[in-house]
Amino acid sequence: MAFSLPFAFPVLANRTHLPQAESVEHAGIRGLVLSMAISMLVGAALMIAGRTRKSKPLFRKEAMAVVGLSWLLATILGALPFYLSGTQIWKGRPITFIEAMFEAQAGFSTTGATILTDLETPDVVPHCILFWRSWTHFLGGLGIVVLFVAILGQGSAGKAMVRAEMPGPSKEGSMPRMQHTSLVFAGIYVGLNVILTIVYMVEGMTLFDALCHAFGTMATGGFSTYNRSLGGFDSPLIEYTTIVFMILAGTNFTLLYLTLVGGPRRMFGDVEFQTYVGIIVGATAGILFFGLRAEDLGFETFWQGLRNGLFQVVSVMTTTGYGTADFDRWNNFARGSLLVLMFIGGCAGSTGGGMKVIRHVLFFKILRREIELSYHPRVVRLIRIGNATADDPAMLRGIMVYFCLILGIFIASWMLLVTFEPSSTWGYDATDPTSVEDSKLDEKLLDCASAVAATLNNIGPGLGVVGATQNYAGFSQGAKFLFCWLMMLGRVEVFSVLVLVFPSFWRRT
């Protein structure tokens, strides 16, 4: 939080397309200092409590508890600056603590969903709080626990903690010591953030905007400092730069490291990366074709359509969630394609969210083998990823269980939202029966499905009431609390969060 304090002063509170701040943001400083004090008190209390207990080694069960509980605690403490600084949803509407938790979780989980409607008025959202909002992306990019292992180390427990925090099945190239692995990941991540910040400044952004958007890009989070997101710059150069770095952020960081030491053939020979790029190219081509055919907004020319289509495909595929065009006004094929891409996500070991490309590759290979076994029961068909065999029964079972869990969580959350979310969210006034004709109440089913998909897969923007030009401010407090859980489930390995609600997990064995 201390890194956010300097941006409360006018010399650094300078945005590219807005007037420079004229005075020190006392409310923002007060909120950050109070939050720092509370965080230190909580930390001191936990340290004192921990010293009274006999030291024991951490095993897988304890590592999962550390991951799940640390994300819960980070969400609560991360919400304090928003709440204590008097941040407002819009002018005259102060933020509630649940909404502050939503914003903090959207940052740490790199979802980028927001309930703040006016980012460009310092009296509503101070610059230092806006920087804290983007800084949570930086912290959440590789995961708080991964950075914790990298900096402090946890001996034999480090491996279990990293596995519990980083989603996706493990792949080739992991180094002997997990602390070393985490340091390599952190080094690549920080280095790319520094490079992108410099590039953005060369392309015309101020330091404040460059840092915030670099954090949002490399963490695949999508928080911006403008109401129109990255579209507020209206710069093809900035957009294409962002596309390149979003693709890098959605790539397995182990693969980036191996490419640095072994050359580009390591990257282009990787099955997951090939599939990842192939999906981006295929989805962009389809959206471009149907966008030009339907003469959608932003597809007036081929090159304009390519720019908008490619940006939105990469933004959704990598779960970044930046917006440069209102894709909710595109044709149904384009909207449907983006909704499907939400459930794919980036590569395993990347900062991207979603279900991960490698899981989909393995899932379809498992399905193909099971279909073949139905008519050739004696055939022996190994599942291969590139030149490697992926026939570990535990891993394959985990893939199937994961898909079932995500489907179950999606359906349950969707039904809860459809059933209990007030119709007023869609502009329907129960006292005026004729108002339903002018509302979008008939789109409630799709909008709720989109909102659940966008938060569970860490995308941010969805369709309808949470579309590219909308946000989550209109939802009820209960829905925002549900979204907090969905964002955490999507960012952390889902088992590390789900086990917290099982009584048997807490029993001594």
Side-chain angles (χ1 to χ4, degrees):
M1 294 176 185
F3 284 103
S4 304
L5 284 172
F7 294 92
F9 297 90
V11 65
L12 290 177
N14 185 16
R15 282 189 262 181
T16 310
H17 298 304
L18 293 175
Q20 187 168 355
E22 297 178 354
S23 59
V24 177
E25 297 170 340
H26 296 288
I29 293 175
R30 181 179 65 250
L32 285 167
V33 171
L34 285 174
S35 301
M36 291 163 63
I38 293 171
S39 298
M40 286 189 283
L41 286 173
V42 171
L46 291 174
M47 287 181 66
I48 293 171
R51 286 173 182 169
T52 62
R53 298 184 178 275
K54 185 179 179 180
S55 177
K56 294 181 180 179
L58 290 176
F59 298 104
R60 181 173 177 82
K61 184 176 177 181
E62 288 80 8
M64 293 178 76
V66 167
V67 170
L69 294 174
S70 65
W71 275 85
L72 281 174
L73 187 58
T75 301
I76 295 170
L77 297 179
L80 293 175
F82 297 104
Y83 186 71
L84 297 177
S85 65
T87 297
Q88 301 174 50
I89 305 298
W90 57 78
K91 189 72 173 178
R93 161 68 161 84
I95 197 170
T96 66
F97 193 73
I98 288 179
E99 290 170 337
M101 287 177 59
F102 177 98
E103 203 72 15
Q105 182 56 249
F108 286 130
S109 65
T110 69
T111 302
T114 185
I115 42 84
L116 303 179
T117 60
D118 186 2
L119 303 174
E120 300 177 3
T121 305
D123 292 340
V124 176
V125 185
H127 285 87
C128 56
I129 300 301
L130 205 56
F131 184 85
W132 165 248
R133 179 174 175 260
S134 294
W135 183 241
T136 57
H137 271 347
F138 180 85
L139 294 174
L142 279 181
I144 294 170
V145 174
V146 171
L147 295 179
F148 171 68
V149 173
I151 296 170
L152 301 180
Q154 284 297 311
S156 60
K159 191 171 184 179
M161 292 177 71
V162 173
R163 280 184 174 178
E165 194 280 332
M166 290 200 63
S170 58
K171 292 185 57 184
E172 60 168 342
S174 58
M175 285 143 267
R177 292 180 300 134
M178 290 306 292
Q179 187 177 4
H180 178 60
T181 303
S182 297
L183 283 170
V184 169
F185 281 15
I188 295 173
Y189 178 65
V190 172
L192 288 172
N193 269 281
V194 171
I195 293 171
L196 183 55
T197 299
I198 295 171
V199 172
Y200 275 152
M201 292 181 69
V202 170
E203 292 175 352
M205 287 191 188
T206 61
L207 176 63
F208 179 84
D209 279 344
L211 283 170
C212 290
H213 287 90
F215 297 158
T217 300
M218 290 314 307
T220 64
F223 275 156
S224 178
T225 56
Y226 292 89
N227 295 334
R228 291 180 54 209
S229 188
L230 209 67
F233 293 95
D234 195 23
S235 168
L237 180 60
I238 289 176
E239 290 173 24
Y240 282 118
T241 299
T242 305
I243 288 171
V244 172
F245 279 87
M246 283 193 295
I247 292 174
L248 288 175
T251 303
N252 189 324
F253 272 43
T254 303
L255 190 60
L256 291 179
Y257 171 77
L258 294 173
T259 301
L260 287 174
V261 298
R265 280 190 293 181
R266 297 300 300 268
M267 175 177 286
F268 294 109
D270 183 81
V271 172
E272 184 183 26
F273 184 76
Q274 291 172 353
T275 308
Y276 171 60
V277 173
I279 293 172
I280 290 174
V281 172
T284 301
I287 288 176
L288 177 61
F289 174 79
F290 285 102
L292 291 171
R293 183 180 178 184
E295 299 182 349
D296 286 332
L297 182 67
F299 288 82
E300 285 78 11
T301 66
F302 176 86
W303 294 111
Q304 188 179 11
L306 177 63
R307 168 187 159 193
N308 288 322
L310 178 62
F311 187 95
Q312 292 308 149
V313 166
V314 173
S315 180
V316 171
M317 177 75 176
T318 60
T319 73
T320 306
Y322 275 139
T324 57
D326 186 4
F327 56 79
D328 199 36
R329 297 173 62 184
W330 292 355
N331 63 84
N332 286 330
F333 174 84
R335 295 167 74 233
S337 297
L338 294 176
L339 188 61
V340 170
L341 291 177
M342 290 181 186
F343 286 93
I344 298 178
C347 300
S350 71
T351 60
M355 297 175 71
K356 308 299 182 186
V357 173
I358 191 64
R359 277 200 179 104
H360 287 274
V361 173
L362 287 168
F363 181 72
F364 282 104
K365 285 180 177 290
I366 294 170
L367 285 183
R368 187 176 66 179
R369 185 174 71 172
E370 293 303 314
I371 292 172
E372 186 176 9
L373 284 172
S374 69
Y375 60 86
H376 282 157
R378 295 184 181 180
V379 73
V380 177
R381 184 75 65 193
L382 297 178
I383 292 178
R384 306 184 68 85
I385 299 293
N387 296 323
T389 301
D391 253 4
D392 179 8
M395 184 187 73
L396 299 182
R397 184 177 65 251
I399 295 290
M400 303 306 291
V401 170
Y402 181 84
F403 271 82
C404 291
L405 273 175
I406 293 297
L407 178 61
I409 293 168
F410 171 77
I411 292 174
S413 303
W414 177 43
M415 290 304 298
L416 277 173
L417 203 58
V418 166
T419 304
F420 295 106
E421 182 63 16
S423 297
S424 57
T425 303
W426 284 263
Y428 174 64
D429 183 2
T431 63
D432 181 11
T434 62
S435 66
V436 72
E437 296 177 2
D438 300 322
S439 73
K440 294 186 177 180
L441 189 59
D442 56 334
E443 299 179 7
K444 185 175 182 179
L445 285 173
L446 178 60
D447 290 356
C448 287
S450 169
V452 170
T455 49
L456 180 59
N457 294 301
N458 305 133
I459 309 296
L463 302 175
V465 293
V466 292
T469 60
Q470 308 293 324
N471 60 32
Y472 291 76
F475 280 95
S476 63
Q477 298 293 304
K480 290 168 185 170
F481 187 73
L482 172 65
F483 292 145
C484 283
W485 279 99
L486 291 175
M487 287 186 284
M488 186 160 61
L489 281 168
R491 178 60 182 92
V492 187
E493 187 66 7
V494 65
F495 299 103
S496 300
V497 179
L498 286 181
V499 295
L500 299 180
V501 301
F502 282 85
S504 59
F505 178 76
W506 300 100
R507 295 193 194 115
R508 296 193 176 205
T509 55

